[in-house]
């Protein structure tokens, strides 16, 4: 897949045992883990969990993103963002000394590691019925790249994002090759009763709780996916801004 190709290019240029002796941290590890709020502000400003990146272990050896996330799921490490002269995101693993912060990072990394493992996989059972009875999926003509929003009516964070998601629909209205789908837990009747008071411009797919929870194993809500025109998952996003940035490159 193309994601493997990207990594091979990075591997070629940097080498599997390339030292990272001249790396400079944007924020030093003790400041990152000083307390929970320090980590949360750092995560907001410097972590891009869904992006491709260059990562080093605590011995300054280059590792894959998969291994980087796997190490973070142990709760023993902090991801330190490194300064870079280009747009490539770089991280260095550092031993965690604050157990509370380490546990927060662990929980987040478990989610992101699962989402990262979904990249390049075909979206299962991509044949959805909208609240209006239309069919959208792999057999649709013409095929499109789809942005999927996973949500439910009683998710306050999901509803709070509607205005930004509506802006996306408006911004890409001249891109017929991109479609926007909202996969919801709720029934058609519940959603139709809800929408008059909550404008949401995505095409809504009802009755998807089991699909989202059991088939895709979405861990938090709202979550976004971008699915390419062949029905394969390009990426999964727990952060809306990361998805919006990725969408600009399509």
């Amino acid at each position: 897949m193309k994601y493997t190709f990207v990594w091979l290019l990075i591997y070629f240029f940097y080498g599997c045992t390339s030292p990272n002796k001249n790396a400079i941290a944007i924020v030093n590890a003790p400041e990152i883990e000083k307390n929970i709020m320090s980590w949360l502000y750092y995560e907001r400003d410097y972590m891009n969990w869904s992006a491709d990146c260059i990562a080093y272990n605590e011995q300054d050896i280059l590792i894959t993103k998969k291994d980087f996330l796997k190490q973070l799921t142990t709760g023993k490490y902090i991801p330190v963002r490194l300064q870079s002269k280009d747009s490539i995101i770089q991280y260095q693993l550092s031993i965690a000394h604050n157990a509370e912060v380490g546990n927060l990072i662990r929980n987040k990394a478990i989610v992101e590691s699962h989402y990262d493992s979904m990249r390049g996989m075909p979206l299962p059972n991509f044949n959805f019925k909208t609240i209006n009875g239309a069919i959208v999926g792999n057999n649709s003509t013409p095929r499109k790249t789809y942005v999927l929003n996973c949500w439910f009516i009683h998710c306050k964070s999901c509803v709070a994002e509607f205005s930004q998601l509506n802006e996306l629909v408006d911004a890409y209205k001249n891109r017929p090759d991109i479609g926007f789908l909202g996969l919801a837990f709720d029934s058609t009747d519940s959603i139709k009763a809800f929408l008059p008071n909550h404008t949401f411009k995505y095409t809504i797919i009802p009755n998807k709780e089991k699909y989202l929870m059991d088939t895709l194993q979405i861990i938090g809500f709202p979550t976004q996916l971008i699915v390419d025109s062949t029905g394969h998952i390009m990426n999964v996003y727990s952060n809306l801004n990361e998805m919006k940035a990725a969408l600009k490159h399509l």
Side-chain angles (χ1 to χ4, degrees):
M1 300 298 293
K2 59 184 177 183
Y3 306 110
T4 302
F5 178 70
V6 169
W7 175 251
L8 287 174
L9 286 177
I10 294 173
Y11 187 95
F12 175 78
F13 283 110
Y14 286 86
C16 64
T17 58
S18 296
N20 190 33
K21 296 178 180 178
N22 298 319
I24 299 174
I26 294 176
V27 181
N28 291 324
E31 290 298 314
I32 297 170
E33 64 171 339
K34 183 164 53 176
N35 52 52
I36 288 175
M37 290 309 300
S38 296
W39 160 252
L40 292 176
Y41 284 128
Y42 171 81
E43 182 182 27
R44 179 196 66 186
D45 295 337
Y46 298 113
M47 290 300 299
N48 188 328
W49 292 96
S50 61
D52 290 318
C53 66
I54 293 173
Y56 299 89
N57 65 15
E58 71 275 24
Q59 282 86 38
D60 296 333
I61 304 302
L62 188 69
I63 58 176
T64 65
K65 183 181 179 183
K66 179 180 179 181
D67 286 337
F68 169 69
L69 292 172
K70 183 178 180 180
Q71 290 298 319
L72 290 176
T73 63
T74 66
K76 297 178 181 179
Y77 297 98
I78 297 168
V80 178
R81 180 78 173 261
L82 304 177
Q83 294 183 18
S84 177
K85 295 180 180 179
D86 49 38
S87 60
I88 297 175
I89 296 173
Q90 300 187 51
Y91 297 107
Q92 173 96 49
L93 292 176
S94 179
I95 298 294
H97 297 94
N98 185 322
E100 283 188 310
V101 172
N103 192 52
L104 277 180
I105 294 171
R106 172 186 175 275
N107 292 338
K108 180 68 172 180
I110 289 171
V111 174
E112 298 298 337
S113 182
H114 169 57
Y115 289 167
D116 187 69
S117 72
M118 295 168 66
R119 296 176 67 177
M121 301 295 291
L123 184 70
N125 308 319
F126 189 12
N127 189 46
F128 304 140
K129 181 181 287 189
T130 74
I131 57 172
N132 296 318
I135 302 298
V136 179
N138 273 346
N139 295 324
S140 300
T141 303
R143 289 192 171 188
K144 298 182 179 183
T145 294
Y146 283 101
V147 179
L148 275 56
N149 178 57
C150 307
W151 70 288
F152 55 94
I153 286 173
H154 296 293
C155 169
K156 293 182 179 180
S157 298
C158 300
V159 177
E161 287 188 350
F162 280 3
S163 60
Q164 293 187 69
L165 299 178
N166 291 338
E167 289 173 0
L168 278 180
V169 175
D170 292 338
Y172 290 89
K173 64 183 179 182
N174 295 322
R175 289 286 304 272
D177 58 317
I178 298 177
F180 296 87
L181 305 178
L183 276 61
F185 281 18
D186 312 279
S187 69
T188 296
D189 289 343
S190 296
I191 293 170
K192 286 186 174 180
F194 170 81
L195 288 178
N197 298 314
H198 302 85
T199 301
F200 192 20
K201 297 182 179 181
Y202 275 44
T203 299
I204 307 300
I205 313 296
N207 301 307
K208 285 300 174 186
E209 180 175 2
K210 184 174 178 62
Y211 178 80
L212 293 174
M213 298 298 292
D214 297 343
T215 303
L216 291 185
Q217 298 181 14
I218 298 299
I219 299 172
F221 295 85
T223 291
Q224 326 286 333
L225 295 84
I226 297 180
V227 179
D228 68 20
S229 59
T230 69
H232 288 77
I233 298 169
M234 297 179 67
N235 216 335
V236 185
Y237 306 88
S238 58
N239 182 292
L240 177 57
N241 288 329
E242 292 179 18
M243 185 276 282
K244 290 165 67 175
L247 195 55
K248 290 179 180 179
H249 297 289
L250 296 183

